[in-house]
Amino acid sequence: MHTLKNLNNYEITETFNGLYDLCLKLNKRRNIVFFDKITKYILKYKIKYSLPIKVKIVNELNLLLSCTDTDIDHTTEIFRNLDVLLCKNPIYKSGNFKNLRCFWTVVAKIFADDPQIKNIIDWENPGIGQPELKSATIENYSMELAKNSSGYIIFSFIPENFTKNDIVDMFPRLSSLGTCEFGEDADMCGDTLEDVIQDASVSHNRIFQQQVIDELKILLSYTDEDIARASRSLIRISPTEEVEEPPNWGRFPSLRAFWTAVLGSFEHNVAMQNTEDAEHSLTDITDSAGPGCNATPPAPQN
């Protein structure tokens, strides 16, 4: 069973940002019975969600339901942006759900029963069984899913019918970089393209950085044609072209080489943070042991 105890509140919203955004739409209406309202909202509006967003929410629901009841309760409180005492007020409860795990299981079933999802994912028992994948054709377009090393469902390639918005929904973190570090004003983030890549890898929290790494591994598993297609939708710079301004900006021989360099920079930064955390943890353990922890033990008496 997963645990979220090592994540702060902001990192939890980043981990479940699809579910958080869903709850955020109703947070301003504090006078409603939230848990009843959100299920009706999902049933009414989920048809407007793109297929990549639906798959993303299925992944997040599967992860959330694999956590402890305490983690689910705490995460839901964060989604609602309420303190614990306010959440205990009966107006925020619902007679339709025994507990919050039951509530999120119902939400998971709504998405599992979505016609598009049912064509490509078989999820009979949310909260108990794992989603199983199908190869399928939707609207005469071939579509195939896979699972990455973390068990997350991903697209094996970019379907032909996917729009620019669909591709942005497939790679939300890379798209975020495309509006900032890899955007039209990229030269404000560094004097060279390599500087910009370095700046991008250190300017975000670790959850965001790991999500970028996950998205890059997916993107780099695709063909050069799919990488080019995705890049046109995700970033506002052309990393393979020579530019006159700024001078010595630099370029990469291919888009695959560019994204590989971005991946290497993010992985290096996360590895450095993990090393620092391990050193800090060791220091804390040593300090808590007291001044005698490294003392030489007394010689045995004859």
Side-chain angles (χ1 to χ4, degrees):
M1 184 166 285
H2 290 88
T3 179
L4 306 175
K5 66 180 182 180
N6 295 325
L7 302 181
N8 61 40
N9 289 4
Y10 180 72
E11 289 172 332
I12 287 176
T13 62
E14 289 283 273
T15 300
F16 300 99
N17 62 321
L19 295 179
Y20 179 67
D21 287 345
L22 188 65
C23 295
L24 205 59
K25 298 179 187 300
L26 297 173
N27 267 359
K28 294 181 180 179
R29 301 185 61 185
R30 298 291 180 85
N31 61 336
I32 62 173
V33 181
F34 173 76
F35 300 111
D36 288 334
K37 187 70 176 180
I38 196 170
T39 53
K40 295 176 183 177
Y41 178 91
I42 294 169
L43 285 168
K44 183 177 180 180
Y45 290 104
K46 69 179 173 65
I47 192 173
K48 297 183 179 181
Y49 299 163
S50 69
L51 184 56
I53 289 292
K54 291 177 183 177
V55 172
K56 174 183 174 62
I57 290 177
V58 167
N59 279 325
E60 292 182 9
L61 286 166
N62 191 41
L63 175 60
L64 181 62
L65 289 170
S66 71
C67 296
T68 64
D69 288 348
T70 300
D71 281 340
I72 291 175
D73 292 350
H74 177 59
T75 300
T76 307
E77 291 168 9
I78 295 170
F79 289 169
R80 293 268 18 235
N81 195 25
L82 300 170
D83 59 40
V84 176
L85 292 177
L86 205 53
C87 269
K88 291 181 179 178
N89 190 313
I91 197 171
Y92 299 104
K93 299 292 183 181
S94 168
N96 292 333
F97 306 105
K98 182 173 63 176
N99 53 43
L100 291 177
R101 180 179 293 279
C102 290
F103 164 69
W104 288 113
T105 299
V106 169
V107 173
K109 287 179 178 178
I110 292 174
F111 279 94
D113 289 338
D114 176 82
Q116 281 188 309
I117 291 296
K118 287 189 76 171
N119 275 337
I120 56 178
I121 299 173
D122 183 12
W123 200 12
E124 289 290 335
N125 295 300
I128 300 175
Q130 289 292 308
E132 300 297 330
L133 310 181
K134 306 176 183 177
S135 294
T137 299
I138 297 180
E139 298 174 355
N140 297 321
Y141 289 97
S142 176
M143 198 164 300
E144 186 174 324
L145 301 178
K147 289 186 179 181
N148 65 12
S149 58
S150 300
Y152 271 54
I153 300 169
I154 62 175
F155 290 88
S156 299
F157 52 85
I158 302 176
E160 289 182 36
N161 63 326
F162 269 22
T163 65
K164 176 181 177 180
N165 288 337
D166 290 328
I167 294 173
V168 168
D169 289 341
M170 285 179 68
F171 303 100
R173 295 315 190 190
L174 297 186
S175 176
S176 179
L177 294 178
T179 61
C180 187
E181 289 90 350
F182 301 151
E184 294 176 353
D185 297 322
D187 57 334
M188 296 182 66
C189 299
D191 294 330
T192 68
L193 186 51
E194 289 187 0
D195 290 342
V196 173
I197 292 173
Q198 176 63 24
D199 179 76
S201 67
V202 300
S203 300
H204 301 276
N205 66 68
R206 194 178 316 185
I207 298 296
F208 184 100
Q209 291 171 342
Q210 186 58 56
Q211 289 170 342
V212 168
I213 290 171
D214 293 340
E215 289 183 12
L216 284 169
K217 288 181 177 179
I218 296 170
L219 180 61
L220 289 168
S221 72
Y222 293 168
T223 64
D224 290 345
E225 290 75 13
D226 271 351
I227 291 175
R229 181 183 170 198
S231 299
R232 288 193 295 270
S233 299
L234 298 172
I235 59 177
R236 308 295 183 271
I237 60 173
S238 181
T240 60
E241 291 184 9
E242 291 279 6
V243 297
E244 294 182 1
E245 294 291 338
N248 304 315
W249 178 250
R251 60 181 289 272
F252 285 86
S254 66
L255 286 168
R256 183 178 294 279
F258 165 71
W259 288 118
T260 299
V262 176
L263 174 61
S265 183
F266 272 83
E267 286 183 326
H268 174 75
N269 191 60
V270 169
M272 291 290 290
Q273 290 183 66
N274 290 339
T275 300
E276 290 175 4
D277 286 351
E279 290 174 350
H280 290 159
S281 296
L282 181 60
T283 300
D284 291 343
I285 293 172
T286 303
D287 290 345
S288 65
C293 65
N294 293 321
T296 303
Q301 299 293 321
N302 293 327

